[in-house]
């Protein structure tokens, strides 16, 4: 969290945004699930995750500045041109669960979880969650409290790929789970002198951004954010010509190799799947693919 003169650290904007809009995000999250039920494909995590998602969505069309450890100032869009690759990409709740369960990705002492997810990152324990579970966890208490109360104990259930949560700095070393998205992601542009950079906005840009963010704007951002998640889900579940989604391809390989009931170690399964696909795959993607493979077989019965 550092910036040259004339620039505002993104961490400062996030701190102000969270303080002002976490209560709104809490109630909006509950209203969404009360109206639409619990959809595991578009589950964004806790109200704190949603607040962060709205913050990041609001920054999607803003020019960012990377202030490097060597004091260079680099201007970059948050999303690469002609691409969905964003510096603000995060894992899903279920991808995070797989990372937490894997010491190779979480770290032997969970050091990667703390570095990237902050001390506010937690494990969502309800794999087969439904709306009743989520309602009990968050909404029932929220309805009985004044807006904003009780939000200081909320946790994140997602993990960033390219920025350290809270400080909004590019890590000096990208986390292990970045392997799963390095080919088509913002991560491929972050190397060498850019590692360790502080993400900032010019002061004028930051002030203009603050003025345009209102509760009415947040509602529009929420619809935009949920619409994008729906579109991503539809794209992932729809067969395409050309390069397939890596998780879907890995799931099919998992089925083809007869690994559904295999008790082999994950690292051994990973080698088999990588050899079958002729490409690398992260353990997080493999574990998600294994769950998808079981669903694929179940749906055919």
């Amino acid at each position: 969290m550092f910036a040259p003169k004339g620039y505002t650290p993104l961490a400062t904007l996030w701190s102000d945004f969270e303080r002002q809009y976490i209560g709104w995000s809490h109630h909006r999250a509950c209203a969404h699930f009360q109206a639409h039920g619990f959809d595991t494909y578009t589950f964004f995590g806790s109200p704190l995750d949603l607040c962060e998602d709205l913050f990041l969505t609001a920054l999607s069309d803003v020019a960012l500045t990377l202030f490097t450890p060597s004091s260079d100032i680099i201007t970059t869009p948050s999303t690469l041109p002609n691409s969905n690759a964003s510096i603000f990409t995060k894992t899903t709740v279920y991808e995070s669960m797989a990372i937490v369960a894997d010491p190779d990705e979480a770290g032997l002492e969970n050091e990667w979880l703390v570095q990237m997810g902050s001390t506010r990152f937690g494990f969502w324990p309800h794999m087969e969650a439904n709306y009743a579970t989520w309602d009990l966890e968050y909404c029932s208490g929220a309805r009985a409290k004044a807006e904003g109360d009780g939000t200081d104990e909320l946790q994140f259930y997602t993990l960033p790929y390219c920025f350290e949560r809270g400080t909004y700095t590019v890590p000096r070393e990208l986390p292990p789970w970045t392997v799963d998205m390095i080919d088509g992601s913002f991560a491929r542009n972050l190397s060498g002198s850019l590692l360790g950079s502080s993400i900032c906005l010019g002061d004028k840009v930051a002030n203009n951004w603050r003025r345009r963010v209102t509760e009415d704007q947040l509602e529009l951002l929420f619809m935009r954010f949920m619409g994008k998640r729906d579109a991503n889900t539809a794209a992932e579940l729809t067969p395409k010509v050309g390069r397939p989604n890596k998780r879907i391809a890995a799931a099919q390989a998992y089925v083809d190799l007869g690994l559904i009931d295999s008790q082999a170690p994950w690292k051994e399964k990973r080698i088999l799947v990588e050899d079958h696909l002729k490409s690398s795959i992260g353990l997080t993607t493999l574990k998600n693919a294994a769950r998808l493979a079981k669903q694929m077989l179940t749906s055919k019965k």
Side-chain angles (χ1 to χ4, degrees), residues 46 133 137-138 168 174 183 194 198-199 201 210 243 257 274 296:
S46 78
T133 303
E137 187 86 12
Y138 292 115
Y168 280 94
L174 294 173
D183 291 338
L194 295 184
S198 177
I199 307 175
L201 265 62
R210 282 189 176 105
R243 183 181 181 184
L257 293 167
E274 285 183 333
M296 290 164 60

Side-chain angles (χ1 to χ4, degrees), residues 141-154:
R143 286 195 295 269
K145 296 177 180 179
E147 182 170 329
D149 286 355
T151 57
D152 55 338
E153 297 180 359
L154 292 173

Side-chain angles (χ1 to χ4, degrees), residues 72-140:
D72 291 325
I73 298 175
I74 310 295
T75 301
T76 179
S78 63
T79 302
L80 298 180
N82 303 315
S83 167
N84 290 323
S86 171
I87 196 171
F88 297 134
T89 298
K90 301 191 298 179
T91 63
T92 66
V93 175
Y94 297 104
E95 288 168 341
S96 298
M97 289 171 61
I99 291 170
V100 168
D102 188 344
D104 288 335
E105 298 208 310
L108 294 177
E109 302 295 331
N110 290 333
E111 58 268 21
W112 277 114
L113 304 182
V114 175
Q115 178 179 332
M116 299 301 296
S118 82
T119 56
R120 302 174 73 184
F121 171 77
F123 175 69
W124 173 257
H126 310 293
M127 184 61 191
E128 302 300 331
N130 54 32
Y131 173 68
T133 303
W134 203 89
D135 180 68
L136 182 64
E137 187 86 12
Y138 292 115
C139 300
S140 298

Side-chain angles (χ1 to χ4, degrees), residues 177-238:
W177 54 87
T178 309
V179 170
D180 291 333
M181 46 87 83
I182 195 73
D183 291 338
S185 77
F186 205 100
R188 71 179 186 271
N189 282 27
L190 296 174
S191 61
S193 63
L194 295 184
L195 295 175
S197 296
S198 177
I199 307 175
C200 312
L201 265 62
D203 285 345
K204 183 176 180 179
V205 175
N207 290 333
N208 288 338
W209 182 86
R210 282 189 176 105
R211 282 194 292 268
R212 77 179 189 182
V213 176
T214 64
E215 289 191 3
D216 287 343
Q217 176 68 6
L218 286 186
E219 184 62 34
L220 293 175
L221 290 174
F222 177 80
M223 301 304 294
R224 173 180 166 189
F225 169 70
M226 293 306 298
K228 182 177 180 181
R229 291 179 72 85
D230 289 340
N232 288 344
T233 298
E236 182 174 284
L237 297 178
T238 302

